[in-house]
Amino acid sequence: RTVIAAAIEAGASPWVYTDDNWFVLPGRSAHVEHESTAVRFRPTPVESFELLLDRVIKVQAVSDDPSVIARCEAMIRAKAQDEVSATRSQTYYFDVTPPGGNKGSGVERLCSQLQIPLAETTTIGDMENDIPMLIRAGFSIAMGQSSAEVKSAAKVVTGSNAEEGFAIAMYRFVLGRELPAQAAPAK
């Protein structure tokens, strides 16, 4: 309730995720189409999140206005700082999960379930919500467009998205080869 109320008060659109669905309030559609394509399903519109509160696994505050996201982040950190894990996953998304509910603990759980030593993993990221994953992995790569904070959490930095940084990282740091000339970015 506190996180949802803070998102609304800050002027952001709250999205609520449960273990099996994604919910939005009517009329608040910033990035819904983009996210629907990314996750491959549409949200369920609801008039209120009240009946979902015991099932929430993530609240995402959404706005194209950076000042709204900054205000939302400040309000949520002030009101619920010790009760949540909160980071930006995009410039227009602020994600709030239960404490410890982050990509780092996700990588640890996945490695445990698959019986893969964490030291033998490689992760790649570009946003603040990737930092817990980058610092836990055996080897970590930051994308070139990342902030200084994200870059400092990684062992190496690759090119940006515009420079085919992901492909370069996979070839150079995972496969130990250089990107083939026909696949290299144009200069």
CSV table of all heavy atoms in Angstrom, one decimal, residues 97-149:
chain,number,residue,atom,x,y,z
A,97,THR,N,10.6,-4.4,-4.9
A,97,THR,CA,10.4,-5.8,-4.6
A,97,THR,C,10.6,-6.0,-3.1
A,97,THR,O,11.2,-5.2,-2.4
A,97,THR,CB,11.3,-6.7,-5.4
A,97,THR,OG1,12.7,-6.4,-5.1
A,97,THR,CG2,11.1,-6.6,-6.9
A,98,PRO,N,10.3,-7.2,-2.6
A,98,PRO,CA,10.6,-7.5,-1.2
A,98,PRO,C,12.1,-7.4,-0.9
A,98,PRO,O,12.9,-7.6,-1.9
A,98,PRO,CB,10.1,-8.9,-1.0
A,98,PRO,CG,9.0,-9.1,-2.0
A,98,PRO,CD,9.5,-8.3,-3.2
A,99,PRO,N,12.5,-7.2,0.3
A,99,PRO,CA,14.0,-7.2,0.6
A,99,PRO,C,14.6,-8.5,0.1
A,99,PRO,O,14.1,-9.6,0.2
A,99,PRO,CB,14.1,-7.1,2.1
A,99,PRO,CG,12.7,-6.6,2.5
A,99,PRO,CD,11.7,-7.1,1.5
A,100,GLY,N,15.7,-8.3,-0.6
A,100,GLY,CA,16.5,-9.5,-1.1
A,100,GLY,C,15.9,-10.0,-2.4
A,100,GLY,O,16.4,-10.9,-3.1
A,101,GLY,N,14.8,-9.4,-2.9
A,101,GLY,CA,14.2,-9.8,-4.2
A,101,GLY,C,14.8,-9.0,-5.3
A,101,GLY,O,14.2,-8.1,-5.8
A,102,ASN,N,16.0,-9.4,-5.7
A,102,ASN,CA,16.7,-8.7,-6.8
A,102,ASN,C,17.4,-9.7,-7.7
A,102,ASN,O,17.4,-10.9,-7.4
A,102,ASN,CB,17.7,-7.7,-6.2
A,102,ASN,CG,18.7,-8.4,-5.3
A,102,ASN,OD1,19.4,-9.4,-5.6
A,102,ASN,ND2,18.8,-7.9,-4.0
A,103,LYS,N,18.0,-9.2,-8.7
A,103,LYS,CA,18.7,-10.1,-9.7
A,103,LYS,C,19.9,-10.9,-9.1
A,103,LYS,O,20.1,-12.0,-9.5
A,103,LYS,CB,19.1,-9.3,-10.9
A,103,LYS,CG,18.0,-8.8,-11.7
A,103,LYS,CD,18.5,-8.1,-13.0
A,103,LYS,CE,17.3,-7.6,-13.8
A,103,LYS,NZ,17.8,-6.9,-15.1
A,104,GLY,N,20.5,-10.3,-8.1
A,104,GLY,CA,21.6,-11.0,-7.5
A,104,GLY,C,21.1,-12.3,-6.7
A,104,GLY,O,21.7,-13.4,-6.9
A,105,SER,N,20.1,-12.1,-6.0
A,105,SER,CA,19.6,-13.3,-5.3
A,105,SER,C,18.9,-14.3,-6.3
A,105,SER,O,19.0,-15.5,-6.1
A,105,SER,CB,18.6,-12.9,-4.2
A,105,SER,OG,17.5,-12.2,-4.7
A,106,GLY,N,18.4,-13.8,-7.4
A,106,GLY,CA,17.9,-14.6,-8.4
A,106,GLY,C,19.0,-15.5,-9.0
A,106,GLY,O,18.8,-16.7,-9.3
A,107,VAL,N,20.1,-14.9,-9.3
A,107,VAL,CA,21.2,-15.7,-9.9
A,107,VAL,C,21.7,-16.7,-8.9
A,107,VAL,O,22.0,-17.9,-9.3
A,107,VAL,CB,22.4,-14.7,-10.3
A,107,VAL,CG1,23.7,-15.5,-10.6
A,107,VAL,CG2,22.0,-13.9,-11.5
A,108,GLU,N,21.8,-16.3,-7.6
A,108,GLU,CA,22.2,-17.3,-6.6
A,108,GLU,C,21.3,-18.5,-6.5
A,108,GLU,O,21.7,-19.6,-6.5
A,108,GLU,CB,22.3,-16.6,-5.2
A,108,GLU,CG,23.5,-15.7,-5.1
A,108,GLU,CD,23.6,-15.0,-3.7
A,108,GLU,OE1,22.6,-15.0,-3.0
A,108,GLU,OE2,24.6,-14.5,-3.5
A,109,ARG,N,20.0,-18.2,-6.5
A,109,ARG,CA,19.0,-19.3,-6.4
A,109,ARG,C,19.0,-20.2,-7.7
A,109,ARG,O,19.0,-21.4,-7.6
A,109,ARG,CB,17.6,-18.7,-6.3
A,109,ARG,CG,17.3,-18.3,-4.8
A,109,ARG,CD,15.8,-18.1,-4.6
A,109,ARG,NE,15.3,-17.0,-5.3
A,109,ARG,CZ,15.3,-15.7,-4.9
A,109,ARG,NH1,15.8,-15.4,-3.8
A,109,ARG,NH2,14.7,-14.8,-5.7
A,110,LEU,N,19.2,-19.6,-8.8
A,110,LEU,CA,19.2,-20.4,-10.1
A,110,LEU,C,20.5,-21.2,-10.1
A,110,LEU,O,20.4,-22.4,-10.4
A,110,LEU,CB,19.2,-19.4,-11.3
A,110,LEU,CG,19.2,-20.1,-12.6
A,110,LEU,CD1,17.9,-20.9,-12.8
A,110,LEU,CD2,19.2,-19.0,-13.7
A,111,CYS,N,21.6,-20.7,-9.7
A,111,CYS,CA,22.8,-21.5,-9.6
A,111,CYS,C,22.7,-22.6,-8.6
A,111,CYS,O,23.1,-23.8,-8.9
A,111,CYS,CB,24.0,-20.6,-9.2
A,111,CYS,SG,24.6,-19.6,-10.5
A,112,SER,N,22.1,-22.4,-7.5
A,112,SER,CA,21.8,-23.4,-6.5
A,112,SER,C,21.0,-24.5,-7.1
A,112,SER,O,21.3,-25.7,-6.9
A,112,SER,CB,21.2,-22.8,-5.2
A,112,SER,OG,20.9,-23.8,-4.3
A,113,GLN,N,19.9,-24.2,-7.7
A,113,GLN,CA,18.9,-25.2,-8.3
A,113,GLN,C,19.6,-26.0,-9.4
A,113,GLN,O,19.3,-27.2,-9.5
A,113,GLN,CB,17.7,-24.5,-8.8
A,113,GLN,CG,16.8,-24.0,-7.7
A,113,GLN,CD,15.6,-23.2,-8.2
A,113,GLN,OE1,15.5,-22.9,-9.4
A,113,GLN,NE2,14.7,-22.8,-7.3
A,114,LEU,N,20.4,-25.3,-10.2
A,114,LEU,CA,21.1,-26.0,-11.3
A,114,LEU,C,22.4,-26.6,-10.9
A,114,LEU,O,23.1,-27.2,-11.7
A,114,LEU,CB,21.3,-25.1,-12.5
A,114,LEU,CG,20.0,-24.5,-13.1
A,114,LEU,CD1,20.3,-23.5,-14.1
A,114,LEU,CD2,19.1,-25.6,-13.7
A,115,GLN,N,22.8,-26.4,-9.7
A,115,GLN,CA,24.1,-27.0,-9.1
A,115,GLN,C,25.3,-26.5,-10.0
A,115,GLN,O,26.2,-27.2,-10.3
A,115,GLN,CB,24.0,-28.5,-9.0
A,115,GLN,CG,23.0,-29.0,-8.1
A,115,GLN,CD,22.9,-30.5,-8.0
A,115,GLN,OE1,23.5,-31.2,-8.8
A,115,GLN,NE2,22.2,-30.9,-7.0
A,116,ILE,N,25.2,-25.2,-10.2
A,116,ILE,CA,26.3,-24.5,-10.9
A,116,ILE,C,27.0,-23.6,-9.9
A,116,ILE,O,26.3,-22.7,-9.3
A,116,ILE,CB,25.8,-23.6,-12.1
A,116,ILE,CG1,25.1,-24.5,-13.2
A,116,ILE,CG2,26.9,-22.8,-12.8
A,116,ILE,CD1,24.4,-23.8,-14.2
A,117,PRO,N,28.3,-23.7,-9.8
A,117,PRO,CA,29.0,-22.8,-8.9
A,117,PRO,C,28.8,-21.3,-9.3
A,117,PRO,O,29.0,-21.0,-10.5
A,117,PRO,CB,30.5,-23.2,-8.9
A,117,PRO,CG,30.4,-24.6,-9.5
A,117,PRO,CD,29.2,-24.7,-10.4
A,118,LEU,N,28.5,-20.4,-8.4
A,118,LEU,CA,28.3,-19.0,-8.7
A,118,LEU,C,29.6,-18.4,-9.3
A,118,LEU,O,29.5,-17.6,-10.2
A,118,LEU,CB,28.0,-18.3,-7.4
A,118,LEU,CG,27.4,-16.9,-7.6
A,118,LEU,CD1,26.2,-16.8,-8.5
A,118,LEU,CD2,27.1,-16.3,-6.2
A,119,ALA,N,30.7,-18.9,-8.9
A,119,ALA,CA,32.0,-18.5,-9.5
A,119,ALA,C,32.2,-18.8,-11.0
A,119,ALA,O,33.0,-18.2,-11.6
A,119,ALA,CB,33.2,-19.1,-8.7
A,120,GLU,N,31.3,-19.7,-11.5
A,120,GLU,CA,31.4,-20.0,-12.9
A,120,GLU,C,30.4,-19.3,-13.7
A,120,GLU,O,30.1,-19.7,-14.9
A,120,GLU,CB,31.3,-21.5,-13.0
A,120,GLU,CG,32.5,-22.3,-12.5
A,120,GLU,CD,32.4,-23.8,-12.6
A,120,GLU,OE1,31.6,-24.3,-13.5
A,120,GLU,OE2,33.1,-24.5,-11.9
A,121,THR,N,29.7,-18.3,-13.2
A,121,THR,CA,28.7,-17.6,-14.0
A,121,THR,C,29.3,-16.3,-14.5
A,121,THR,O,30.2,-15.7,-14.0
A,121,THR,CB,27.5,-17.2,-13.1
A,121,THR,OG1,27.9,-16.4,-12.0
A,121,THR,CG2,26.8,-18.5,-12.5
A,122,THR,N,28.6,-15.8,-15.6
A,122,THR,CA,28.9,-14.5,-16.2
A,122,THR,C,27.6,-13.8,-16.3
A,122,THR,O,26.6,-14.4,-16.8
A,122,THR,CB,29.5,-14.7,-17.6
A,122,THR,OG1,30.8,-15.3,-17.5
A,122,THR,CG2,29.8,-13.3,-18.2
A,123,THR,N,27.6,-12.5,-15.9
A,123,THR,CA,26.4,-11.7,-16.0
A,123,THR,C,26.7,-10.5,-16.8
A,123,THR,O,27.9,-10.0,-16.8
A,123,THR,CB,25.8,-11.3,-14.6
A,123,THR,OG1,26.8,-10.6,-13.9
A,123,THR,CG2,25.3,-12.6,-13.9
A,124,ILE,N,25.7,-9.9,-17.4
A,124,ILE,CA,25.9,-8.7,-18.2
A,124,ILE,C,24.7,-7.8,-17.8
A,124,ILE,O,23.5,-8.2,-17.8
A,124,ILE,CB,26.0,-8.9,-19.7
A,124,ILE,CG1,26.4,-7.7,-20.4
A,124,ILE,CG2,24.8,-9.6,-20.2
A,124,ILE,CD1,26.9,-7.9,-21.9
A,125,GLY,N,24.9,-6.5,-17.6
A,125,GLY,CA,23.9,-5.6,-17.3
A,125,GLY,C,24.2,-4.1,-17.7
A,125,GLY,O,25.3,-3.8,-18.0
A,126,ASP,N,23.1,-3.3,-17.5
A,126,ASP,CA,23.3,-1.9,-17.9
A,126,ASP,C,22.6,-0.9,-17.0
A,126,ASP,O,22.7,0.3,-17.1
A,126,ASP,CB,22.9,-1.6,-19.3
A,126,ASP,CG,21.4,-1.8,-19.6
A,126,ASP,OD1,20.7,-2.4,-18.7
A,126,ASP,OD2,20.9,-1.4,-20.6
A,127,MET,N,21.8,-1.4,-16.0
A,127,MET,CA,21.0,-0.5,-15.2
A,127,MET,C,21.3,-0.8,-13.7
A,127,MET,O,21.8,-1.9,-13.4
A,127,MET,CB,19.5,-0.6,-15.5
A,127,MET,CG,19.1,-0.1,-16.8
A,127,MET,SD,19.4,1.7,-17.1
A,127,MET,CE,18.3,2.4,-15.9
A,128,GLU,N,20.9,0.1,-12.8
A,128,GLU,CA,21.1,0.0,-11.4
A,128,GLU,C,20.6,-1.3,-10.8
A,128,GLU,O,21.1,-1.9,-9.9
A,128,GLU,CB,20.6,1.2,-10.6
A,128,GLU,CG,21.5,2.4,-10.8
A,128,GLU,CD,21.4,3.1,-12.1
A,128,GLU,OE1,20.5,2.9,-12.9
A,128,GLU,OE2,22.3,3.9,-12.4
A,129,ASN,N,19.4,-1.8,-11.4
A,129,ASN,CA,18.9,-3.1,-10.8
A,129,ASN,C,19.7,-4.3,-11.2
A,129,ASN,O,19.5,-5.4,-10.6
A,129,ASN,CB,17.4,-3.3,-11.3
A,129,ASN,CG,17.3,-3.6,-12.8
A,129,ASN,OD1,18.1,-3.1,-13.6
A,129,ASN,ND2,16.3,-4.4,-13.1
A,130,ASP,N,20.7,-4.1,-12.0
A,130,ASP,CA,21.7,-5.2,-12.4
A,130,ASP,C,22.8,-5.3,-11.4
A,130,ASP,O,23.6,-6.3,-11.4
A,130,ASP,CB,22.2,-5.0,-13.8
A,130,ASP,CG,21.1,-5.1,-14.8
A,130,ASP,OD1,20.3,-6.0,-14.7
A,130,ASP,OD2,21.2,-4.3,-15.8
A,131,ILE,N,23.1,-4.3,-10.6
A,131,ILE,CA,24.3,-4.2,-9.7
A,131,ILE,C,24.3,-5.5,-8.8
A,131,ILE,O,25.4,-6.1,-8.7
A,131,ILE,CB,24.3,-2.9,-8.9
A,131,ILE,CG1,24.7,-1.8,-9.9
A,131,ILE,CG2,25.4,-3.0,-7.8
A,131,ILE,CD1,24.6,-0.4,-9.3
A,132,PRO,N,23.3,-5.9,-8.1
A,132,PRO,CA,23.4,-7.0,-7.2
A,132,PRO,C,23.8,-8.3,-8.0
A,132,PRO,O,24.5,-9.1,-7.4
A,132,PRO,CB,22.0,-7.2,-6.6
A,132,PRO,CG,21.4,-5.8,-6.7
A,132,PRO,CD,21.9,-5.2,-7.9
A,133,MET,N,23.4,-8.4,-9.2
A,133,MET,CA,23.8,-9.6,-10.0
A,133,MET,C,25.2,-9.4,-10.5
A,133,MET,O,26.0,-10.4,-10.4
A,133,MET,CB,22.8,-9.6,-11.3
A,133,MET,CG,23.2,-10.5,-12.4
A,133,MET,SD,22.1,-10.3,-13.8
A,133,MET,CE,22.6,-8.8,-14.5
A,134,LEU,N,25.6,-8.2,-10.8
A,134,LEU,CA,27.0,-8.0,-11.3
A,134,LEU,C,28.0,-8.3,-10.2
A,134,LEU,O,29.1,-8.9,-10.5
A,134,LEU,CB,27.2,-6.6,-11.8
A,134,LEU,CG,26.4,-6.3,-13.1
A,134,LEU,CD1,26.5,-4.8,-13.4
A,134,LEU,CD2,26.9,-7.1,-14.3
A,135,ILE,N,27.7,-7.9,-9.0
A,135,ILE,CA,28.7,-8.1,-7.9
A,135,ILE,C,28.7,-9.5,-7.4
A,135,ILE,O,29.7,-9.9,-6.8
A,135,ILE,CB,28.5,-7.1,-6.7
A,135,ILE,CG1,27.1,-7.2,-6.1
A,135,ILE,CG2,28.7,-5.7,-7.2
A,135,ILE,CD1,26.9,-6.3,-4.9
A,136,ARG,N,27.7,-10.3,-7.6
A,136,ARG,CA,27.7,-11.7,-7.1
A,136,ARG,C,28.3,-12.7,-8.1
A,136,ARG,O,28.8,-13.8,-7.7
A,136,ARG,CB,26.3,-12.1,-6.8
A,136,ARG,CG,25.8,-11.5,-5.5
A,136,ARG,CD,24.4,-12.1,-5.1
A,136,ARG,NE,23.9,-11.7,-3.9
A,136,ARG,CZ,23.1,-10.7,-3.7
A,136,ARG,NH1,22.6,-10.0,-4.7
A,136,ARG,NH2,22.7,-10.4,-2.5
A,137,ALA,N,28.2,-12.4,-9.4
A,137,ALA,CA,28.7,-13.3,-10.4
A,137,ALA,C,30.2,-13.6,-10.4
A,137,ALA,O,30.9,-12.7,-9.9
A,137,ALA,CB,28.3,-12.8,-11.8
A,138,GLY,N,30.6,-14.7,-10.9
A,138,GLY,CA,32.0,-15.0,-11.0
A,138,GLY,C,32.7,-14.0,-11.9
A,138,GLY,O,33.8,-13.6,-11.7
A,139,PHE,N,32.0,-13.6,-13.0
A,139,PHE,CA,32.6,-12.6,-14.0
A,139,PHE,C,31.4,-11.7,-14.4
A,139,PHE,O,30.3,-12.2,-14.6
A,139,PHE,CB,33.2,-13.3,-15.2
A,139,PHE,CG,33.9,-12.4,-16.1
A,139,PHE,CD1,35.1,-11.9,-15.8
A,139,PHE,CD2,33.3,-12.0,-17.3
A,139,PHE,CE1,35.8,-11.0,-16.6
A,139,PHE,CE2,33.9,-11.2,-18.2
A,139,PHE,CZ,35.2,-10.7,-17.9
A,140,SER,N,31.6,-10.4,-14.5
A,140,SER,CA,30.5,-9.5,-14.8
A,140,SER,C,30.9,-8.5,-15.8
A,140,SER,O,32.1,-8.0,-15.8
A,140,SER,CB,30.0,-8.9,-13.5
A,140,SER,OG,31.0,-8.2,-12.8
A,141,ILE,N,30.0,-8.1,-16.6
A,141,ILE,CA,30.2,-7.2,-17.7
A,141,ILE,C,29.1,-6.1,-17.7
A,141,ILE,O,28.0,-6.4,-17.6
A,141,ILE,CB,30.1,-8.0,-19.1
A,141,ILE,CG1,31.0,-9.2,-19.1
A,141,ILE,CG2,30.4,-7.0,-20.2
A,141,ILE,CD1,30.6,-10.2,-20.2
A,142,ALA,N,29.6,-4.9,-17.8
A,142,ALA,CA,28.7,-3.7,-17.9
A,142,ALA,C,28.6,-3.3,-19.3
A,142,ALA,O,29.6,-3.2,-20.0
A,142,ALA,CB,29.1,-2.6,-17.0
A,143,MET,N,27.5,-2.9,-19.8
A,143,MET,CA,27.3,-2.4,-21.1
A,143,MET,C,27.9,-0.9,-21.1
A,143,MET,O,27.9,-0.2,-20.1
A,143,MET,CB,25.8,-2.3,-21.5
A,143,MET,CG,25.2,-3.7,-21.7
A,143,MET,SD,25.9,-4.6,-23.1
A,143,MET,CE,25.3,-3.6,-24.4
A,144,GLY,N,28.3,-0.5,-22.3
A,144,GLY,CA,29.0,0.8,-22.4
A,144,GLY,C,28.1,2.0,-22.1
A,144,GLY,O,28.6,3.0,-21.7
A,145,GLN,N,26.8,1.9,-22.2
A,145,GLN,CA,25.9,3.0,-21.9
A,145,GLN,C,25.5,3.1,-20.4
A,145,GLN,O,24.8,3.9,-20.0
A,145,GLN,CB,24.6,2.9,-22.7
A,145,GLN,CG,23.6,1.8,-22.3
A,145,GLN,CD,23.9,0.5,-23.0
A,145,GLN,OE1,24.9,0.3,-23.7
A,145,GLN,NE2,23.0,-0.5,-22.7
A,146,SER,N,26.1,2.2,-19.6
A,146,SER,CA,25.7,2.1,-18.2
A,146,SER,C,26.3,3.3,-17.5
A,146,SER,O,27.2,4.0,-17.9
A,146,SER,CB,26.4,0.9,-17.6
A,146,SER,OG,26.0,-0.3,-18.2
A,147,SER,N,25.7,3.6,-16.3
A,147,SER,CA,26.2,4.7,-15.4
A,147,SER,C,27.5,4.3,-14.8
A,147,SER,O,27.9,3.1,-14.8
A,147,SER,CB,25.2,4.9,-14.3
A,147,SER,OG,25.1,3.8,-13.4
A,148,ALA,N,28.2,5.2,-14.3
A,148,ALA,CA,29.5,5.0,-13.6
A,148,ALA,C,29.3,4.0,-12.5
A,148,ALA,O,30.2,3.1,-12.3
A,148,ALA,CB,30.1,6.3,-13.1
A,149,GLU,N,28.2,4.0,-11.8
A,149,GLU,CA,28.0,3.1,-10.6
A,149,GLU,C,27.8,1.7,-11.1
A,149,GLU,O,28.4,0.8,-10.5
A,149,GLU,CB,26.7,3.5,-9.9
A,149,GLU,CG,26.4,2.7,-8.7
A,149,GLU,CD,25.1,3.1,-8.0
A,149,GLU,OE1,24.3,3.9,-8.6
A,149,GLU,OE2,24.9,2.6,-6.9
